[in-house]
Amino acid sequence: MAKAILGKKLGMTQIFNEEGKIVPVTVIEAGPCLISQIKTIDNDGYEAIQIGFGDVRPVALNKPQSGHFKKNGLLPRRFLREIRVESTADYQIGQELKADLFAPGDKVDISGISKGKGFAGTIKRWNDHRGPMSHGSKSHRRPASAGAKGPARVFKGKHAPGHMGGERVTVQNLQVVKIDGERNLLLVRGAVPGPKQGLLFIKASIKK
């Protein structure tokens, strides 16, 4: 069975491990997720399952979205994501995926949308150095030269001011410290992207 689930970031805290040391953890409400669609090679050309997470009022959905759930007799879900699997034989529509999909000690990759920082200069956005702060200098926090005279163009990847944050970020190889199966909580060592109540996609690590 594919180890992947949707969740919601609740915040950070700290707990004591078996050695009595403090461990910083992020608390994630992982699931329950409903399997809302199964894709097969015969119908779609590949094997995958679609999972839904989060309650939503039916009036907030449009007709195609409502019909997608009504066709299978499922309650609507706010978020839908697709997970590739080797075989769909172990899955059925309406099946629930919960936090106990993982176990303490597992390594996971967690993806989310980072906090938006708005428009930022090169010092904040790219950790560039500032210029001299003496009275004669007029380039304290300005970006450096845009490019050399010879190419007569700006190369791709040039560090410039612009929108910072609000991007999909994945943090790899985070360790699952503890699981609360009754409340569907995952406690993961370290920080994860995004604000509180932000949507997260948790899957088994691919670079163990």
Side-chain angles (χ1 to χ4, degrees):
M1 179 174 286
K3 283 191 173 183
I5 198 170
L6 287 171
K8 180 171 65 176
K9 179 178 176 179
L10 300 182
M12 290 197 71
T13 184
Q14 55 189 20
I15 61 174
F16 290 94
N17 62 12
E18 296 176 354
E19 301 174 357
K21 296 181 179 179
I22 287 179
V23 179
V25 295
T26 300
V27 183
I28 302 170
E29 181 184 336
C33 293
L34 281 180
I35 296 180
S36 55
Q37 187 179 6
I38 295 177
K39 297 194 173 184
T40 61
I41 293 178
D42 295 336
N43 292 333
D44 307 283
Y46 62 98
E47 303 268 338
I49 59 172
Q50 185 189 79
I51 60 174
F53 171 72
D55 296 329
V56 62
R57 294 178 299 126
V59 72
L61 301 178
N62 57 32
K63 286 187 178 181
Q65 292 170 335
S66 299
H68 181 67
F69 294 102
K70 192 178 293 184
K71 179 176 67 175
N72 296 315
L74 301 175
L75 291 175
R77 288 292 180 264
R78 181 177 294 275
F79 304 106
L80 293 175
R81 291 295 184 275
E82 191 175 282
I83 304 169
R84 292 286 188 107
V85 294
E86 293 182 359
S87 173
T88 57
D90 298 331
Y91 303 96
Q92 56 186 359
I93 292 178
Q95 180 181 341
E96 278 193 342
L97 302 179
K98 297 185 178 180
D100 55 12
L101 200 63
F102 299 95
D106 286 352
K107 292 295 183 70
V108 293
D109 297 340
I110 299 181
S111 302
I113 304 298
S114 62
K115 292 181 180 179
K117 307 291 184 180
F119 188 92
T122 56
I123 293 179
K124 180 176 179 179
R125 192 182 184 201
W126 303 109
N127 294 319
D128 284 0
H129 291 283
R130 61 167 173 77
M133 297 303 288
S134 58
H135 294 290
S137 171
K138 296 182 180 179
S139 298
H140 304 307
R141 297 179 66 91
R142 293 180 180 179
S145 172
K149 182 179 179 182
R153 65 186 177 89
V154 179
F155 291 109
K156 287 184 179 180
K158 162 68 183 169
H159 287 186
H163 182 81
M164 181 179 178
E167 298 176 333
R168 181 180 170 87
V169 178
T170 300
V171 180
Q172 298 179 326
N173 283 325
L174 294 174
Q175 183 180 9
V176 177
V177 178
K178 189 177 179 181
I179 292 177
D180 188 339
E182 295 182 359
R183 295 187 290 175
N184 282 309
L185 297 180
L186 277 181
L187 273 65
V188 179
R189 184 186 181 102
V192 302
K196 293 179 181 178
Q197 306 300 316
L199 179 70
L200 299 173
F201 181 65
I202 306 111
K203 65 178 180 179
S205 180
I206 60 174
K207 296 181 180 178
K208 297 180 182 179

